[in-house]
Amino acid sequence: MPAPEEKIAEHRITTKPFYLPQGDEVEIAKTAHANQLPLLLKGPTGCGKTRFMEFLAWELKLPLVTVSCHDDLSTSDLVGRYLIKGGEAVWVDGPLTLAVRAGAICYLDEIVEARKDTTVVIHPLADDRRDLPIEKKGELLTAPPDFMLAISYNPGYQSVLKDLKQSTRQRFVALEFDYPEAELEARIVGRESGVDQATARALVRVAAMTRALKDSGLPEGASTRLLIHAGKLARSGIAIRTACRVAITGTLSDEPELLAALDEIVSSVF
Amino acid sequence: MDHSELTARLAALIEVDALNYWEIEDYVEQLAAQPTEVQEEVLRQVGVIWPVSQALCLDFLDQVQRGLNCLHHSRLGEWVNATLDVYEKDGLKQAQRFLAEVESNFLCQIRGKSGLGLTEAGGRLLPYLRGLAGRALDLASAPTTYTDSQTIFLPPEITLCKEKRENFLTYKLLASWQWGLLAAGTFSARLTPEQPLIRELIVRHGRRLSSEQPFPANFYHLFPDPELAGDLFLLVETVRITKLMRQELPGLMRDSAPILAQLRRQRPALSGLEGKNRLLEALNHWALTAAPPESAAGPNAKLYARAVELLLPLANTGGTIDDSLGITAQLYRLCERLPGGYHPEHPPILGGRLQPRAVEAIRLRRREESRQQFIKALGAMLAVEAGENAPPERHPAQRQKPSGLPDDAAAALLPPPAKGGEGEQPLKPPPAETEYITVGGREIKIPEPLRELAGEIRQDLGRIPERYISAALEQAGTAAVGGPGPDPNEGPEATGPLLYDEWDYRRGGFRKNWCTLLEKQLLPVSSPFVENTREKYRGQLRLLKRQFEMMRLQQRFVRRQKEGDEIDLDAAIEALIDIRAGHPASDNLFIRLNRDERNIAAIFLVDMSYSTEGWVSTALKEALVLMCESLQVLGDRYAIYGFSGMRRSRAELYQIKHLGEQYDRKVKGRISAIIPKDYTRMGPPIRHVSRILAASEAKIRLLITLSDGKPEDYDDYKGEYAIEDTRHALIEAKAAGIHPFCITIDREAQEYIPHMYGAVNYIFINDVKRLPLRMPEIYRALTT
């Protein structure tokens, strides 16, 4: 079993991630870190929340431990558990404990997907106590000053049942993310996928049109991530209309008429 | 078919009493001459139209001969469908006209086989358009293409090309082009006599700038020949917007090249034209394909070249609406050099002329709407505020006029400022000054929900007129006196009437807004029925409750897991024994707590038709009681609705228990109150209940129908029609993520239920007495 130092080293970010700030979010996040305040990132899927965390970790020179939450995520999955290895019970730290011990950033992605009891374990960590009780070991970890907790959620599509509890959300500094404005988004798409600026701008135009369809039956418009996918396919030689169809419109809906309309949008722009 | 058979068949389809025998005789005689397959088709269509409109059906019988003269009988259905669409949209008169003008309205167009109707194209075109515009534009059919900034009007049918795909592209091009008008701000310029161009035109032509006419009509009227000016302006705008579209929608413009070429081929030939008409047509040719017309401009080649030179910068680099106005004026001067008048005989390129009045009407309507909304919302807010604070002596007269603003009445009369294309601009946050308004002398922050509206009003009028605020204050004053808050009347609110479509399988389409559904609450009665039932099934009920309790899977320990929260002691001991004995030990040593939440919403739809009279009704009610008692234990959300009704105008849905309601005295009273009523029109209640279920937040949504027979109503809702409509309603429900299931006691159910619900989604109970106990069992099987 690797030592904790080795394990956390896997979470160090070695190359500077590409991130274009949309506003003052980097500065706010850094200030929050300096003041030992946890972060709550809100925003639609694929708009750059995770990339922002990577960038922040790089800027702060801290390891980033990311946990993608799912509805079966238990407290043990976060904190750690005993495992039996060769007749012996061995304690293994969970990602959260690992991050607390190492003074890293722990990023719980899509926190509302996790079970409600799981979210409660972060409560003492997210206020001024900054404690993580490990009940099974009878240990109380206090986070070092560098540790930072960040959670994200998408207020758009989750059901009312999966809303974040007030007692949880009222511990965080909230940063709202949205799709970047057109020019910035085009630069991001161009840079990430390697397509030229004209194509990137056109992709962004397609995305803007799909986002406008939200009231016409589309649950969510195309995210920046999808644009980058389409751009990558196009750069690798797939015809741009096909690339858009498979990477953008096909992923957005299954409804034939809406799909047809989305295809029309694509064929208008390209 | 011979004469008598035809008569009999026709008489079976239509109510013969409504006709004189000689009229029937007439129809039969006409039909008798046709081959059998034509007769069959005509009779089939009669069956489609008669239930919708008898008058229209007789008209159809009158006209069918003419229709058949130029149309293969297999296409009669399309004709009838188109007619019914007109009927449902514009009423009988229009539909009769549509039937009568069969050749010009319909047949000529569909004869080519290639035509594409707007109804067919709309499903795809509308979302496309809304995506393009970024707001909820609408589509409607009209003889010419134009827009009023809210709706884009397109021809009902396009037959320009051979292929459907190309005709759709034409629709797309026309619709996008109208969007281009809105996006480029064609309707949003504002003219004042001070502008150099306008001043020059006034001096030159000696006309005044009309304050009555909206832009751009007021611009045309600065010229001696407004028609010519209008068509020139449209031409210039076409060039400017084509450039915009090439820039924004390059793919569309590339795909549309053959369409534009086709449109150009359809333009009148230049050789037949003279003077101004010829020059303008030559320019139209040029604008469509950016290629010079074949014979250039003939005798006036020089003028033509000069005009193209004027238009080229717009075509190459684009421009603003002001550029267009300037170029229009220059083109007009060129035209003046040509002899003769201008006769706009030919339709303008790419659809119709601009309709400034329609745009103006929409803008005024929108302004009025936002005024009312604003006053209402602000008034409500102020009323709440007044209720919270000490009631201040607010009086409209006390209000302080914000400094530097003209009088509100005058301000409201000012023409609106230039507006960036009716909201086509990218959304930007409303200017900072929209955050505050001055009310009664003090600055108050505009609450969040009002801010967008306030921004809109400011964009339209430049500011929020003070009379809006004073009206809101007045409203707040009266509201505060009357006491805010909702109507204290708590009585059961019957929703409706709601309109639902009905599926006509013969037509392969919906009869639009065909049924009226009323949602009513059943009044609870005090009756010992529920208690008696509980007593009657006491033993079984205890068993049922135990079974349902076991289904509460909320927390469950799973043993022998690879990982978990606790050590499974048994497994650990076994493992130790194994190790001691020298066997390889299992590492499944943990207990895990599984929390599977039941996330189910179920609606029971109970047949309350007269056929359930007697013991069937009693069994149904008992079944409901046992179901409720069992579900009490389980905690699933469920609702109960009863349905009945008579004719399409009165489908009734009785609310017995809604999804959020507790199983209490009232619900028990309503279950006791279930009595057989009228008929079984199943489509509307299923559609309505599906809508309720679809809106509920549940992973699994169940629609369980309890019925004793086929769907049937007093009118023509019976047999195949009724079954097909019900089936379609269930398909719609499935599409909305609902699992329909049917419990029936009809012995003939095998014949139609599998077709309606699908082979596995129903159960037949042959002994009605067993229904009450079977039902909870069925539910249990369905949800585990």
Side-chain angles (χ1 to χ4, degrees):
Chain A
M1 176 152 306
E5 300 80 52
E6 286 172 41
K7 264 199 115 176
I8 197 70
E10 294 167 8
H11 296 279
R12 286 208 184 270
I13 290 161
T14 47
T15 47
K16 184 176 180 176
F18 170 70
Y19 182 80
L20 289 178
Q22 295 184 36
D24 49 6
E25 71 269 22
V26 178
E27 196 193 326
I28 290 175
K30 280 183 177 170
T31 316
H33 177 256
N35 286 290
Q36 308 194 349
L37 298 173
L39 272 186
L40 164 64
L41 313 185
K42 290 201 260 184
T45 179
C47 72
K49 298 188 295 279
T50 305
R51 181 58 66 85
F52 168 74
M53 284 314 299
E54 287 171 9
F55 181 73
L56 183 68
W58 166 263
E59 287 275 302
L60 294 172
K61 308 211 164 21
L62 292 174
L64 174 71
V65 180
T66 304
V67 182
S68 299
C69 300
H70 51 85
D71 50 6
D72 214 19
L73 187 86
S74 69
T75 317
S76 313
D77 292 328
L78 278 182
V79 178
R81 56 165 53 94
Y82 279 107
L83 290 180
I84 308 270
K85 300 261 165 156
E88 247 183 291
V90 188
W91 173 262
V92 180
D93 277 346
L96 184 61
T97 315
L98 185 73
V100 172
R101 280 194 212 280
I105 300 179
C106 183
Y107 173 47
L108 306 178
D109 198 4
E110 300 289 358
I111 184 80
V112 285
E113 292 291 341
R115 272 160 31 184
K116 290 234 160 113
D117 55 317
T118 314
T119 50
V120 177
V121 72
I122 63 173
H123 280 191
L125 254 185
D127 55 27
D128 58 342
R129 288 173 283 174
R130 290 169 64 84
D131 287 337
L132 176 67
I134 306 177
E135 275 173 42
K136 294 226 180 76
K137 287 185 80 183
E139 192 181 336
L140 184 71
L141 272 183
T142 302
D146 259 347
F147 170 78
M148 185 184 211
L149 179 67
I151 63 175
S152 78
Y153 89 113
N154 176 353
Y157 64 75
Q158 264 94 13
S159 68
V160 281
L161 297 174
K162 281 193 172 172
D163 208 1
L164 207 52
K165 274 194 278 193
Q166 281 297 322
S167 60
T168 307
R169 60 196 303 160
Q170 290 204 10
R171 290 160 193 271
F172 291 86
V173 173
L175 284 180
E176 277 202 52
F177 281 73
D178 204 342
Y179 304 117
E181 52 104 359
E183 198 44 45
L184 191 63
E185 190 168 18
R187 271 172 64 200
I188 294 170
V189 173
R191 162 73 205 260
E192 286 281 287
S193 65
V195 294
D196 57 90
Q197 271 308 292
T199 313
R201 268 197 214 103
L203 280 169
V204 169
R205 206 149 56 225
V206 169
M209 291 180 190
T210 64
R211 288 167 199 164
L213 275 176
K214 242 180 142 170
D215 297 327
S216 308
L218 205 62
E220 197 142 317
S223 64
T224 314
R225 178 165 44 214
L226 290 186
L227 303 186
I228 294 170
H229 290 178
K232 281 182 175 164
L233 290 179
R235 204 181 47 110
S236 307
I238 307 260
I240 184 77
R241 283 186 183 182
T242 315
C244 286
R245 200 171 61 239
V246 295
I248 302 178
T249 60
T251 66
L252 290 177
S253 174
D254 294 322
E255 206 184 303
E257 282 207 328
L258 214 48
L259 272 179
L262 288 170
D263 277 345
E264 293 301 340
I265 287 178
V266 170
S267 65
S268 278
V269 173
F270 290 105
Chain B
M1 268 181 269
D2 66 7
H3 213 275
S4 59
E5 195 186 344
L6 260 177
T7 315
R9 288 279 301 274
L10 198 58
L13 281 169
I14 62 184
E15 285 161 40
V16 188
D17 309 349
L19 299 175
N20 292 316
Y21 73 89
W22 62 84
E23 286 174 302
I24 297 215
E25 201 64 1
D26 271 358
Y27 297 137
V28 169
E29 211 136 282
Q30 274 186 27
L31 274 181
Q34 300 286 353
T36 314
E37 65 266 25
V38 177
Q39 293 170 343
E40 287 286 354
E41 186 56 33
V42 170
L43 288 174
R44 222 173 71 79
Q45 298 307 330
V46 167
V48 171
I49 312 179
W50 182 262
V52 179
S53 165
Q54 308 184 355
L56 194 62
C57 187
L58 299 181
D59 261 39
F60 168 74
L61 284 169
D62 284 335
Q63 304 286 356
V64 70
Q65 198 58 48
R66 278 177 62 200
L68 285 168
N69 284 342
C70 42
L71 184 75
H72 188 254
H73 66 264
S74 65
R75 312 206 60 156
L76 271 184
E78 284 174 49
W79 181 33
V80 167
N81 270 354
T83 308
L84 288 175
D85 282 344
V86 175
Y87 173 77
E88 273 153 7
K89 211 163 131 269
D90 301 322
L92 181 63
K93 278 261 147 48
Q94 290 297 328
Q96 285 172 329
R97 194 168 306 152
F98 187 88
L99 267 181
E101 292 169 5
V102 47
E103 284 92 354
S104 62
N105 262 348
F106 189 71
L107 297 172
C108 302
Q109 292 170 344
I110 71 166
R111 214 179 288 154
K113 272 192 180 173
S114 55
L116 176 68
L118 184 58
T119 354
E120 195 183 328
R124 189 197 288 206
L125 197 58
L126 186 64
Y128 161 75
L129 187 65
R130 289 183 170 175
L132 188 64
R135 65 189 173 104
L137 281 177
D138 282 318
L139 280 178
S141 68
T144 60
T145 309
Y146 73 99
T147 178
D148 63 5
S149 83
Q150 181 54 51
T151 306
I152 286 177
F153 296 87
L154 295 170
E157 177 123 28
I158 284 185
T159 48
L160 183 75
C161 304
K162 285 206 180 69
E163 298 287 324
K164 235 180 193 164
R165 169 73 210 164
E166 288 173 322
N167 282 325
F168 178 80
L169 197 58
T170 313
Y171 263 130
K172 189 175 157 188
L173 178 70
L174 291 181
S176 306
W177 199 80
Q178 293 295 326
W179 161 80
L181 286 175
L182 296 173
T186 300
F187 298 103
S188 55
R190 189 177 152 203
L191 301 182
T192 60
E194 287 77 43
Q195 287 158 328
L197 173 69
I198 306 303
R199 204 166 48 215
E200 188 199 315
L201 288 172
I202 292 174
V203 171
R204 194 182 156 81
H205 299 296
R207 288 165 172 255
R208 284 189 308 121
L209 187 63
S210 157
S211 57
E212 315 255 294
Q213 278 161 327
F215 182 82
N218 57 1
F219 179 70
Y220 310 159
H221 283 267
L222 289 171
F223 296 90
D225 185 348
E227 272 189 325
L228 175 59
D231 280 3
L232 283 173
F233 178 67
L234 185 63
L235 167 75
V236 176
E237 281 296 86
T238 304
V239 173
R240 188 167 78 94
I241 282 155
T242 308
K243 166 66 191 161
L244 174 86
M245 285 169 64
R246 278 190 209 291
Q247 203 174 308
E248 295 286 316
L249 308 171
L252 172 66
M253 295 311 279
R254 204 171 49 239
D255 289 353
S256 308
I259 309 263
L260 289 168
Q262 175 74 12
L263 280 170
R264 176 169 155 162
R265 275 195 289 282
Q266 298 209 332
R267 302 294 311 175
L270 291 180
S271 50
L273 299 169
E274 300 190 321
K276 296 184 172 92
N277 281 44
R278 184 179 173 118
L279 178 62
L280 210 72
E281 195 49 51
L283 290 174
N284 278 343
H285 281 214
W286 179 80
L288 275 173
T289 48
E294 32 323 322
S295 55
N300 297 306
K302 239 181 168 172
L303 274 184
Y304 167 78
R306 174 76 193 119
V308 169
E309 209 172 286
L310 282 172
L311 288 168
L312 260 179
L314 267 192
N316 290 337
T317 50
T320 64
I321 179 82
D322 287 332
D323 298 336
S324 285
L325 295 178
I327 293 169
T328 308
Q330 281 172 295
L331 284 177
Y332 190 90
R333 284 171 69 172
L334 282 186
C335 283
E336 277 180 329
R337 296 199 215 154
L338 290 165
Y342 174 65
H343 314 287
E345 289 156 8
H346 302 292
I349 43 178
L350 286 178
R353 296 192 162 80
L354 306 178
Q355 308 260 359
R357 287 220 177 269
V359 176
E360 180 71 1
I362 289 287
R363 201 182 48 215
L364 290 178
R365 202 176 74 200
R366 211 179 285 164
R367 184 185 297 172
E368 177 59 21
E369 276 169 8
S370 47
R371 185 185 76 89
Q372 285 179 359
Q373 275 175 21
F374 184 81
I375 292 176
K376 206 172 151 199
L378 183 65
M381 186 197 102
L382 291 172
V384 170
E385 212 185 40
E388 279 169 4
N389 304 335
E393 288 286 311
R394 264 204 213 108
H395 199 272
Q398 279 185 344
R399 68 180 196 262
Q400 200 182 322
K401 195 190 282 180
S403 57
L405 290 173
D407 188 71
D408 59 272
L413 286 175
L414 273 179
K419 216 172 123 183
E422 301 286 338
E424 302 300 333
Q425 295 162 312
L427 281 177
K428 52 180 176 206
E433 79 258 28
T434 45
E435 292 201 4
Y436 290 93
I437 42 170
T438 314
V439 179
R442 63 202 172 94
E443 290 249 301
I444 62 162
K445 204 168 180 200
I446 303 180
E448 199 66 58
L450 257 180
R451 214 164 283 166
E452 198 180 315
L453 198 58
E456 254 173 48
I457 295 172
R458 275 217 168 88
Q459 228 190 13
D460 183 24
L461 294 173
R463 60 190 200 84
I464 295 173
E466 211 185 323
R467 65 206 158 86
Y468 284 22
I469 295 169
S470 58
L473 266 175
E474 255 165 58
Q475 190 197 312
T478 50
V481 171
D487 197 12
N489 181 14
E490 274 187 1
E493 218 164 88
T495 24
L498 299 158
L499 294 177
Y500 281 93
D501 297 348
E502 200 163 272
W503 181 256
D504 187 343
Y505 73 101
R506 292 166 296 206
R507 188 173 157 188
F510 282 106
R511 293 179 177 176
K512 291 188 192 78
N513 292 335
W514 187 252
C515 295
T516 314
L517 181 108
L518 296 159
E519 192 180 326
K520 296 178 168 179
Q521 274 206 354
L522 214 53
L523 282 180
V525 294
S526 55
S527 139
F529 178 79
V530 173
E531 288 314 309
N532 291 349
T533 309
R534 273 163 65 164
E535 191 55 35
K536 182 173 164 191
Y537 294 97
R538 197 162 33 133
Q540 292 98 322
L541 200 55
R542 202 176 302 141
L543 192 69
L544 274 177
K545 279 190 176 177
R546 174 116 42 88
Q547 286 170 343
F548 272 72
E549 223 163 71
M550 303 228 308
M551 287 162 62
R552 276 199 311 205
L553 288 175
Q554 282 186 346
Q555 297 199 358
R556 189 162 51 105
F557 286 105
V558 209
R559 296 178 166 272
R560 294 179 196 275
Q561 298 294 304
K562 270 221 166 52
E563 44 188 60
D565 308 306
E566 304 288 336
I567 289 172
D568 185 341
L569 212 56
D570 296 342
I573 290 167
E574 270 173 40
L576 281 176
I577 294 169
D578 283 345
I579 290 168
R580 292 272 168 93
H583 297 302
S586 157
D587 53 357
N588 294 349
L589 303 177
F590 290 90
I591 296 181
R592 204 171 56 203
L593 189 59
N594 253 12
R595 268 169 263 226
D596 300 326
E597 272 175 65
R598 282 181 71 85
N599 193 352
I600 297 175
I603 291 191
F604 297 93
L605 194 58
V606 187
D607 188 345
M608 280 168 61
S609 61
Y610 67 95
S611 56
T612 59
E613 183 87 64
W615 38 276
V616 176
S617 177
T618 313
L620 281 176
K621 281 154 75 176
E622 285 180 355
L624 285 179
V625 173
L626 294 193
M627 205 57 238
C628 290
E629 295 281 340
S630 312
L631 282 171
Q632 252 335 68
V633 186
L634 192 57
D636 285 0
R637 270 172 300 162
Y638 67 102
I640 304 171
Y641 289 90
F643 70 95
S644 181
M646 188 142 139
R647 294 181 188 270
R648 68 187 179 99
S649 55
R650 191 170 63 84
E652 284 165 344
L653 190 70
Y654 299 92
Q655 194 191 87
I656 295 159
K657 175 185 177 304
H658 64 75
L659 275 175
E661 206 170 1
Q662 289 298 317
Y663 175 57
D664 56 9
R665 216 161 41 90
K666 264 194 210 154
V667 173
K668 289 176 187 169
R670 285 193 212 116
I671 292 178
S672 314
I674 295 176
I675 44 161
K677 301 215 175 218
D678 306 316
Y679 288 84
T680 330
R681 200 182 194 97
M682 274 182 148
I686 289 177
R687 287 189 176 93
H688 184 71
V689 164
S690 307
R691 206 186 272 184
I692 297 174
L693 257 184
S696 76
E697 291 284 348
K699 263 192 198 148
I700 299 171
R701 304 181 185 123
L702 265 178
L703 168 60
I704 299 175
T705 318
L706 284 157
S707 166
D708 73 329
K710 281 182 200 168
E712 193 175 42
D713 199 353
Y714 184 74
D715 50 17
D716 68 335
Y717 196 87
K718 38 177 81 81
E720 210 173 342
Y721 178 88
I723 287 172
E724 289 300 325
D725 173 57
T726 309
R727 174 164 185 257
H728 205 273
L730 291 166
I731 290 171
E732 290 159 41
K734 277 182 207 156
I738 294 164
H739 302 279
F741 191 87
C742 178
I743 302 176
T744 181
I745 52 169
D746 184 5
R747 283 183 190 284
E748 286 156 23
Q750 299 285 0
E751 288 167 19
Y752 61 93
I753 290 261
H755 178 59
M756 267 161 45
Y757 283 82
V760 291
N761 294 326
Y762 76 99
I763 199 155
F764 161 63
I765 293 175
N766 56 3
D767 182 3
V768 71
K769 289 195 199 83
R770 287 178 50 214
L771 174 68
L773 280 172
R774 286 282 283 146
M775 191 152 136
E777 270 175 44
I778 293 163
Y779 184 83
R780 198 159 60 94
L782 276 177
T783 60
T784 42

